[in-house]
Amino acid sequence: MKYSIIYIMMLAGGITIISSCGKGFLDVAPTNSVNASDAVKTAADARVMINGIMRNMTDANYYGRNFFLYGDAKGGDLTIYSQGRGLDALYTFNHTANSNSFSGFWSVIYNNILQANSLIVNINKLKAGGSTENFDNSLGQALTARALMYFDLVRIYGKSYADNKASYGVPIATEPLSASAQPLRATVEQTYAQIVKDLTDAAPLLAKTKTNGYLNYYGNRSIQARVYLTMGDYAAALQAAEDVITNGGYTLYSPANWVASWRSQFGTESIFELGVFPNESDLGTASLGFYLRRRAHGNSNVLGWFGASDYFLSRLKQDPNDVRWGVMLADEISTTANPRLGACYKYSGSTTLTGDGKATVTAVNIKVIRLSEIYLIAAEAAFPTDKTKAATYLNVIRNRAPGLAAATAATITEDMILDERSKELFAEGHRYFDMLRLNRPITFNDEILGLTIPTRPKTIDRSFEKAILPIPIGEINANPGIGDQQNPGY
């Protein structure tokens, strides 16, 4: 009998929840696992499960690699040098329900939602039963993580909120259901309503102090700022962003220290950073750093999968002294006559492969939310109503390019903010989602390949039939009803 990932999620009460990565969904559990139905008895047990949720977020099919590549390859900021090296379909949009569906997004994220649901349900049972343990912080983290995961899922599989919020989002499950349940897709609007509910329910439960590798109150508020910006609720996005900026206790790196920040763990800008550790969550040759590095640099297994597009580089070239050039290095098509700094080293620690202080250069932490993004959210959210405030927030980040004139209320534009997001957040998975929510055209740097890509036009926008991924065929086979809700074009 086939089982969908959603169906398996309904059986959370009888499944052992795994808190190490790299295991199959039904593999034998390691010793650091807890049983979903009865092992969470204390706050310490809950923290073990939170560890598992955070660890599984670093999977190669999620923040460990593919989610960031998805956002920048599809957004036009990354290109490929040659076909056949791996993950090409992220750039070429060569997706079907049967092949190149990147079903790992669906399975890994829902598997982790299973863990969050199990923890949430069991904590609530313990609290209702009169437990004197303080579960607030773990409950708040689980709700916040679940909100973030549903947010990522609905952006991958559903249309933009601003495009058609009545269209299909993703199936929502927040607790174990009957074994016969085969949940169908909620709407985009319903999915966002669940995301907002989880975030607002979680916020008062969370500590405001920073705990490295975990979510706190300001991590929650930062995710709220992202979500509200995507929904077009600029007032709520600005309020959340300013809460983080004013009260969070985080500080931006100076331009002189920005490059070095990628060699350090849990720095002053880091709001939510996932730990990656040798012999545990280190992806090695499958790591994000490997996929962005110049071909053969430091290791013959580095194939030169993805590099900066000419369009991204033209933005960075607005100022030759922009400090963000410091994480870029000559790529495989660079020549003396035509130098091209297309290889990105954010996730190698530095252009000299220092890593971030651990035993292996590939065990580099994943910076999911940085303070610089929050300033850029504040700038964009303020722009429609207060251009002076928008320019003030933008200039704090824009000064990383000292040769550019400061923005003013008279000169600031939405394009200027979008360009700054591209430059600051390059290879961090934002560009595609920015272009979709604002309905901007995306042009791909196919000239480097010297080919016309048959599976998509050179320029697309959010109306392109493959702008979102298909529901994987394995899910459809196991849950036939969802087949009638397949995304158009597949």
Side-chain angles (χ1 to χ4, degrees), residues 294-329:
R294 183 183 67 229
R295 188 175 190 179
H297 185 189
N299 191 306
S300 61
N301 291 317
V302 178
L303 299 185
W305 288 271
F306 292 91
S309 69
D310 289 337
Y311 309 121
F312 168 76
L313 292 175
S314 69
R315 283 188 284 277
L316 207 53
K317 286 176 181 176
Q318 292 170 3
D319 182 2
N321 295 315
D322 192 316
V323 299
R324 290 165 293 204
W325 284 112
V327 295
M328 308 298 292
L329 203 61

Side-chain angles (χ1 to χ4, degrees), residues 89 94-96 98-103 469-470:
N94 185 22
H95 307 298
T96 72
N98 296 284
S99 64
N100 297 324
S101 68
F102 286 84
S103 61
L469 286 183

Side-chain angles (χ1 to χ4, degrees), residues 262-426:
W262 294 96
R263 306 198 290 267
S264 64
Q265 304 169 41
F266 306 113
T268 62
E269 271 199 33
S270 184
I271 298 173
F272 180 38
E273 179 173 326
L274 292 167
V276 176
F277 307 102
N279 304 318
E280 293 184 27
S281 49
D282 186 354
L283 294 173
T285 58
S287 66
L288 181 60
F290 252 56
Y291 272 68
L292 294 171
R293 200 187 300 173
R294 183 183 67 229
R295 188 175 190 179
H297 185 189
N299 191 306
S300 61
N301 291 317
V302 178
L303 299 185
W305 288 271
F306 292 91
S309 69
D310 289 337
Y311 309 121
F312 168 76
L313 292 175
S314 69
R315 283 188 284 277
L316 207 53
K317 286 176 181 176
Q318 292 170 3
D319 182 2
N321 295 315
D322 192 316
V323 299
R324 290 165 293 204
W325 284 112
V327 295
M328 308 298 292
L329 203 61
D331 61 20
E332 66 185 79
I333 62 173
S334 179
T335 65
T336 302
N338 295 293
R340 190 178 192 279
L341 303 184
C344 178
Y345 285 75
K346 281 183 175 179
Y347 289 96
S348 293
S350 71
T351 57
T352 55
L353 308 182
T354 55
D356 65 0
K358 305 192 192 84
T360 61
V361 66
T362 52
V364 173
N365 288 357
I366 305 297
K367 295 172 173 60
V368 180
I369 306 173
R370 298 190 292 117
L371 183 60
S372 55
E373 178 195 349
I374 305 307
Y375 273 87
L376 292 165
I377 290 174
E380 186 176 342
F383 178 76
T385 57
D386 190 339
K387 289 182 172 52
T388 298
K389 178 180 282 191
T392 299
Y393 283 127
L394 178 63
N395 285 333
V396 176
I397 308 303
R398 190 172 168 86
N399 71 6
R400 289 173 177 166
L404 297 184
T408 67
T411 62
I412 190 171
T413 64
E414 188 177 72
D415 283 341
M416 190 183 294
I417 298 169
L418 194 59
D419 280 359
E420 199 60 39
R421 283 183 62 89
S422 171
K423 290 185 286 186
E424 177 66 22
L425 304 176
F426 177 61

Side-chain angles (χ1 to χ4, degrees), residues 125-140:
K125 285 180 180 178
L126 289 166
K127 291 175 71 175
S131 174
T132 59
E133 291 269 353
N134 186 348
F135 292 102
D136 282 0
N137 200 55
S138 290
L139 180 58

Side-chain angles (χ1 to χ4, degrees), residues 253-262 323:
Y253 298 117
S254 69
N257 293 330
W258 187 88
V259 173
S261 73
W262 294 96
V323 299

